[in-house]
Amino acid sequence: MNNFEIRYNKLLIIDLSYFIHRALHVQQIFDLRGPDGQRSGAVFQVLRMINREMALNPGYFPICCSDAGLSERRVKADPSYKHADERNTDPETLTEEEADNDYLTQYRKQRNMLIETMSYAGIPTLRFTQWEGDDLQYILTKISDRSRILTDDKDLLQLVSDNTDVRRPMADELVTKKSLLESYNYNDVYEFVMNKAIIGDGSDNIPGSCKGVGAGTSINLIRLIEILNDQNIGFDVLNQSNSDIIKELCKENGLKYRKAMLDFDVNRYNTNIELVDLNLVEVSDDILQSIYSTIDNCRNNVNYFTFVKKLNQLGIREVPADELISNVSERFSVLKKGSK
């Protein structure tokens, strides 16, 4: 069981992996180069986005989260999760020209440049070996009094609560607990997790657990699973020979019966829950201390002249360095719980 202590006031949790991918998928941004010829478009675009989002979310202290490998627990549950079984193969050796044009190479290179550059502006990045960014974002929501996540990745909508909301920059939408439940017709946020476990996620190589049931029809299966749990009826009832029982349960509870429900793979569903439910993340004292240290020490890294020097080296002229550092510095005073 995870025991969390509220340590911080208002955190603006930035899904850094999403922001970099979003930037690099714009060809004009991908092609931007600094004076020395190296690509730096993602650094430029992400800094601009963060500066803009800070203006739109006053009072929230910015913290970035990024992946540094895959969760051992998830890979153990499913060795093909996010193609983990393919990651151990030796990477292809690229020429200098190929690396310059290779998306993944540029993602990793500019991510490192960005993390270093942001540190001089006082913006910390959480990135720890074998920790996924989503898990770190989950922890941050638990150790802050209020939090707002910046991402268009719908997986993170499961983190909305009375104290956490999600701002989707591309959609210019703020998702609260109330709006999430209303838009999806859910009774509680956990049904969002159940939906993901049913329909799967191709981008993470997570197969669905019930063929023929998609995002538009999963609500009926979600309700049926809840009914079976409430009445202590085993999932083995979900097979063709028990179709009459399922039809009757659906009729009694106002659910739309679909034959596809009878193809429900309970083992796949349970595996998917293990993969997608962020509340299952085990949080040790060590990772908490690493997070606390990274956040609490961020002001020690602030160096205006080094920040400006880095921007000049990368050929970045349109990021207002004074404004960015000033905004971050002002929020240090209200970062910790109990500070004024």
Side-chain angles (χ1 to χ4, degrees):
M1 183 176 180
N2 299 322
N3 295 313
F4 297 105
E5 174 191 355
I6 302 297
R7 293 278 294 252
Y8 305 104
N9 286 310
K10 298 170 69 176
L11 299 185
L12 188 64
I13 305 169
I14 300 166
D15 184 352
L16 187 61
S17 298
Y18 158 74
F19 269 43
I20 298 174
H21 280 303
R22 173 182 163 185
L24 288 177
H25 272 96
V26 178
Q27 191 63 46
Q28 289 176 312
I29 299 298
F30 187 88
D31 290 338
L32 289 178
R33 298 177 184 272
D36 59 359
Q38 69 174 326
R39 298 186 188 275
S40 56
V43 181
F44 161 70
Q45 185 68 359
V46 172
L47 284 175
R48 284 213 314 175
M49 287 192 288
I50 289 176
N51 196 50
R52 177 176 182 271
E53 290 298 332
M54 287 179 64
L56 293 172
N57 300 279
Y60 285 85
F61 186 85
I63 299 178
C64 296
C65 296
S66 182
D67 298 332
L70 299 180
S71 158
E72 286 186 345
R73 173 181 61 83
R74 293 192 180 96
V75 174
K76 184 177 180 180
D78 183 356
S80 64
Y81 167 69
K82 290 189 176 180
H83 300 283
D85 49 355
E86 300 174 11
R87 295 191 179 203
N88 294 326
T89 58
D90 293 332
E92 180 183 357
T93 301
L94 302 177
T95 66
E96 185 175 338
E97 182 180 354
E98 289 172 335
D100 184 60
N101 291 287
D102 180 63
Y103 180 92
L104 185 57
T105 300
Q106 288 304 316
Y107 168 83
R108 291 170 174 166
K109 185 176 181 180
Q110 295 194 50
R111 175 194 61 202
N112 295 339
M113 292 161 51
L114 181 59
I115 290 173
E116 180 187 8
T117 302
M118 288 191 301
S119 71
Y120 295 119
I123 302 174
T125 298
L126 304 183
R127 187 169 183 267
F128 307 110
T129 302
Q130 292 185 319
W131 276 89
E132 297 181 42
D134 289 4
D135 297 338
L136 297 172
Q137 293 177 73
Y138 158 74
I139 296 172
L140 289 178
T141 66
K142 298 300 182 183
I143 62 176
S144 60
D145 187 52
R146 292 284 309 173
S147 57
R148 176 163 294 165
I149 302 171
L150 295 182
T151 186
D152 279 283
D153 182 354
K154 289 188 176 181
D155 291 356
L156 289 163
L157 294 181
Q158 65 174 282
L159 295 182
V160 298
S161 68
D162 293 334
N163 300 315
T164 300
D165 49 41
V166 174
R167 172 167 156 73
R168 303 181 63 212
M170 281 283 285
D172 194 20
E173 174 188 19
L174 184 66
V175 182
T176 64
K177 179 180 177 180
K178 183 176 183 291
S179 66
L180 178 76
L181 298 183
E182 289 178 349
S183 61
Y184 285 90
N185 194 29
Y186 289 156
N187 291 327
D188 60 63
V189 176
Y190 187 70
E191 291 181 350
F192 185 89
V193 177
M194 296 174 69
N195 174 73
K196 183 72 177 291
I198 290 170
I199 66 175
D201 186 340
S203 63
D204 290 342
N205 203 33
I206 302 175
S209 58
C210 193
K211 294 180 180 179
V213 173
T217 57
S218 64
I219 189 64
N220 293 285
L221 183 53
I222 289 172
R223 297 279 187 266
L224 181 59
I225 292 171
E226 292 171 337
I227 290 166
L228 294 176
N229 284 328
D230 290 343
Q231 298 186 14
N232 293 316
I233 301 175
F235 285 136
D236 56 353
V237 74
L238 289 167
N239 57 56
Q240 299 296 332
S241 62
N242 292 317
S243 59
D244 290 341
I245 296 175
I246 299 304
K247 286 179 181 178
E248 188 61 29
L249 282 172
C250 287
K251 182 178 179 181
E252 290 174 358
N253 293 276
L255 302 179
K256 184 176 291 186
Y257 168 77
R258 292 182 179 276
K259 187 177 180 181
M261 294 174 173
L262 302 177
D263 289 325
F264 180 68
D265 184 341
V266 63
N267 291 327
R268 184 69 247 181
Y269 174 79
N270 288 334
T271 296
N272 287 357
I273 288 290
E274 184 73 21
L275 299 179
V276 304
D277 186 1
L278 294 176
N279 283 290
L280 297 179
V281 175
E282 286 295 330
V283 182
S284 67
D285 288 340
D286 287 343
I287 193 63
L288 283 174
Q289 288 304 318
S290 295
I291 291 172
Y292 296 152
S293 297
T294 302
I295 297 173
D296 295 348
N297 292 332
C298 59
R299 72 171 67 201
N300 297 331
N301 293 323
V302 177
N303 189 312
Y304 173 81
F305 295 104
T306 303
F307 180 61
V308 173
K309 181 180 177 181
K310 286 288 182 182
L311 295 183
N312 289 334
Q313 288 174 346
L314 296 172
I316 297 174
R317 301 282 188 270
E318 297 180 29
V319 172
D322 292 2
E323 178 183 326
L324 185 61
I325 288 186
S326 176
N327 285 340
V328 175
S329 298
E330 287 176 0
R331 299 179 195 200
F332 279 132
S333 62
V334 293
L335 172 60
K336 286 194 174 184
K337 188 67 177 171
S339 59
K340 296 181 180 180

